[in-house]
Structures are given as structure tokens and as C-alpha cells.
Amino acid sequence: MAFNLNKAMAKKDEIIKSFIPIELNEATVQELFNRCIANASTQEVVTSFLFPKAFGYDGSEKPIRFDKALLLKNKKTIEYLFGQLHRVHFPAGSYKMTADDFNTTYQGIYWAGSTAALLKLLYLGATVEVRAITPFKADTSTSVLSPSIKPTLSPKDPGFDKWWEENIANWE
């Protein structure tokens, strides 16, 4: 079977058009986490650590295992969610962030009512494939946010339509 450039380009356009901006909240993080978590049909596993022994923790952390293909497929969505954090919109001169920083949206509200939801987002972002954050360091209780994470808006934000029109190229 010969390679068909037109079919390949149509498939690429279909993938690009499939990106849908979502709001950072517990439900979207839970859905994304469940979508990416490794299961019995996973062909390649990616392990995520937030509190590694090499960074001063006791080594008792149980790693989270993700499906590499699904994680890569959802990478832009994960980055989009991290883009809604307060520190991304209002940099404080440092990319070091506490857990509380990761729980505060650009609107100044806490998006996660539970530690579990917050940890799920952090584990997704700490994988080598996503690299949105580094694991936490015990001596400072901080992680480093990647400078490549760009500010994004919640689709529920009143200014979203105008912002999306100006920034859609970043997500294509």
C-alpha cells in the first residue's frame, strides 16, 4: 500500500482540530488522570514520582504508572490545565512553586477541594513525557514549573473567546 500524503494531512488536521480547551477543576483532572493511567492493555508504561528519595524524601512513595501513548496524546491538555495556574499568569520571578501555588488558579481561587485531585494533576505533569513540573524537593517543599508552560484561560472566563481567537495557533 502506497503512502497517501492527502490522507496523512487530513488525519493531521483531524488531530489538530480535536484539541478542546477545558477548565482546570477536579472533574476534568480526574477524567484526564483516568484516561492516562496504565491498565492491562497498556503497551508502554511511564512512571511518575513527585517525592523521590533523591530529592530528600524517605523513598516510601508509590509511583504512579501511566500509559505512555495516552499521556502523549493528552500532553497539550495537561499543559493547558497547568497554564491556568496563578503563578503562570502572574510570575513571581521564580518558577519554584509550593503545593498551594499549584492549587491556585489565575482567578485566585482554589480549584481542588481535595489533596487527591491536586496530586493527580501534579503526577500527570511530573512525567518525563510532559515535563510541566519537576518532582518536589524535601528541603524547600517546592517543585519547579517549566518555563514552557504558557498562560491559558478557562473556557468559562468572560474573556475566553477573544483570547482563544488570538492564541489558537499555540494549540494547533
Side-chain angles (χ1 to χ4, degrees):
M1 183 172 170
F3 176 75
N4 185 320
L5 181 60
N6 290 332
K7 282 186 179 180
M9 292 302 291
K11 182 85 172 161
K12 180 181 176 224
D13 289 344
E14 187 179 304
I15 291 168
I16 288 170
K17 290 176 183 173
S18 69
F19 181 79
I20 299 171
I22 59 175
E23 178 181 23
L24 176 58
N25 62 44
E26 285 195 45
T28 57
V29 169
Q30 182 66 53
E31 182 181 330
L32 187 58
F33 185 86
N34 290 345
R35 191 181 315 152
C36 295
I37 199 79
N39 58 44
S41 64
T42 298
Q43 292 183 5
E44 191 171 355
V45 173
V46 172
T47 304
S48 182
F49 288 91
L50 281 179
F51 310 104
K53 189 172 185 173
F55 283 25
Y57 291 95
D58 66 9
S60 66
E61 173 186 26
K62 183 179 177 188
I64 302 296
R65 298 166 36 107
F66 293 106
D67 182 307
K68 181 178 181 176
L70 293 172
L71 194 64
L72 290 171
K73 183 178 179 181
N74 290 281
K75 180 178 178 175
K76 282 191 179 254
T77 301
I78 296 165
E79 292 171 338
Y80 192 88
L81 292 177
F82 274 93
Q84 292 178 49
L85 297 173
H86 186 271
R87 181 65 66 82
V88 177
H89 285 256
F90 307 99
S94 169
Y95 291 101
K96 285 185 181 179
M97 293 176 62
T98 65
D100 194 55
D101 293 329
F102 285 110
N103 195 19
T104 308
T105 69
Y106 69 95
Q107 297 156 322
I109 60 169
Y110 289 115
W111 66 268
S114 71
T115 303
L118 176 61
L119 287 172
K120 287 175 181 176
L121 177 67
L122 296 176
Y123 275 110
L124 285 164
T127 63
V128 172
E129 284 66 25
V130 176
R131 295 181 193 239
I133 65 169
T134 63
F136 280 78
K137 289 191 173 186
D139 61 344
T140 61
S141 297
T142 60
S143 169
V144 177
L145 178 74
S146 170
S148 68
I149 301 295
K150 303 298 179 215
T152 60
L153 296 184
S154 163
K156 294 181 179 181
D157 189 293
F160 175 79
D161 291 337
K162 182 179 186 300
W163 174 85
W164 183 244
E165 190 176 299
E166 295 169 357
N167 290 278
I168 192 169
N170 295 330
W171 302 97
E172 293 180 335

